[in-house]
Amino acid sequence: TGLIGALRQLRDPLLLIAFPITFAVLSIVLGYMNSWPVGFDFRGTLWEPARALLDGAAIYPEPTRDNIVLGNPAVYPPVFIVASAPLTLLPVGAASWLWFCVLGACVSAALWILQVRDWRCYALAFVFLFTRSSIHLGTIEPLLLLMVAAAWRWRDDAFRAAGAVGVAVVLKLFVWPLVVWLAITRRLRAAGLAVALAVMLAFVSWAAIGCAGLGDYPGVLRRLAPRGRGHALLA
């Protein structure tokens, strides 16, 4: 009948769009906004260090327990801090919301790259707890997701696979098994290019900031590891 048919047509949009979006918004407002503002991690780990870089101040904290355990210090490699410098042209609030949108686009792009076309999968992805928290706090996990998705999608294209894996390894060192995966699947050219790209990005970015803080950086990571920070390089 007309009424039943109309209700059936509304079923999927209600179950997989309206309800998930409402749930996600409420969980962010009630679960996060009271404790952490939008872009909490982004502010401390990218925006503020990039601002300090432009001001000629120190980017990384001294490798002491209080400096690492307390607060939200910079821990990412300098390549991402340098890349974030244009965002410092905006007020921190506006930059945080722009980063929020960028991370959301990364999640959608990762699904699209993996040839997911069912819109319901996109709705469910954004409701997932870790997706919501990563986007809200402004961590770099959605960007890492995009790189890993690209590496899989174009695994037979040496340059694309190497670019994705190289950036991913610099982003989070714990994804180094991707290089091994390329090697053992006989994609040796891609594996070699990925290592070369990761080393080059690390070298150039440290050189760009005059190697400031390089001596203390391993100590920062060692102090960070027991804390279990989600954005730790050596997670």
Side-chain angles (χ1 to χ4, degrees):
T1 62
L3 178 59
I4 294 177
L7 291 175
R8 285 178 176 172
Q9 290 180 352
L10 290 175
R11 180 186 57 193
D12 281 356
L14 284 176
L15 291 177
L16 294 169
I17 294 183
F19 291 162
I21 289 177
T22 301
F23 172 76
V25 170
L26 288 177
S27 65
I28 288 175
V29 173
L30 300 178
Y32 296 122
M33 294 290 281
N34 294 331
S35 301
W36 302 288
V38 170
F40 175 79
D41 270 24
F42 164 76
R43 298 179 187 213
T45 60
L46 289 176
W47 193 91
E48 291 177 358
R51 182 72 265 174
L53 174 65
L54 296 180
D55 293 339
I59 297 176
Y60 298 107
E62 295 182 4
T64 63
R65 181 181 182 279
D66 289 344
N67 286 335
I68 303 303
V69 175
L70 301 177
N72 191 30
V75 294
Y76 290 136
V79 60
F80 300 105
I81 295 175
V82 173
S84 300
L87 293 175
T88 62
L89 299 175
L90 299 173
V92 64
S96 297
W97 279 107
L98 177 59
W99 186 244
F100 179 98
C101 295
V102 169
L103 295 182
C106 285
V107 174
S108 296
L111 293 174
W112 187 265
I113 285 173
L114 294 175
Q115 298 182 318
V116 176
R117 297 296 183 264
D118 191 330
W119 61 267
R120 292 167 293 190
C121 295
Y122 290 79
L124 293 174
F126 282 98
V127 176
F128 189 52
L129 172 62
F130 295 111
T131 308
R132 289 185 286 113
S133 62
S134 293
I135 294 175
H136 176 80
L137 297 175
T139 69
I140 58 176
E141 274 69 18
L143 181 58
L144 180 65
L145 170 68
L146 177 60
M147 293 299 102
V148 174
W152 173 257
R153 176 67 177 83
W154 291 298
R155 58 193 179 276
D156 292 324
D157 186 317
F159 290 101
R160 288 185 180 183
V165 172
V167 172
V169 169
V170 175
L171 191 67
K172 288 286 187 95
L173 188 58
F174 74 85
V175 298
W176 63 265
L178 288 176
V179 177
V180 178
W181 163 65
L182 289 174
I184 64 177
T185 55
R186 299 182 180 181
R187 299 178 175 95
L188 299 180
R189 185 181 185 186
L193 289 173
V195 172
L197 176 61
V199 172
M200 183 192 70
L201 288 175
F203 177 81
V204 170
S205 61
W206 278 109
I209 64 172
C211 295
L214 178 59
D216 291 335
Y217 191 61
V220 171
L221 296 181
R222 283 195 297 270
R223 289 285 185 180
L224 185 68
R227 179 178 176 177
R229 286 283 295 276
H231 55 250
L233 177 65
L234 297 176

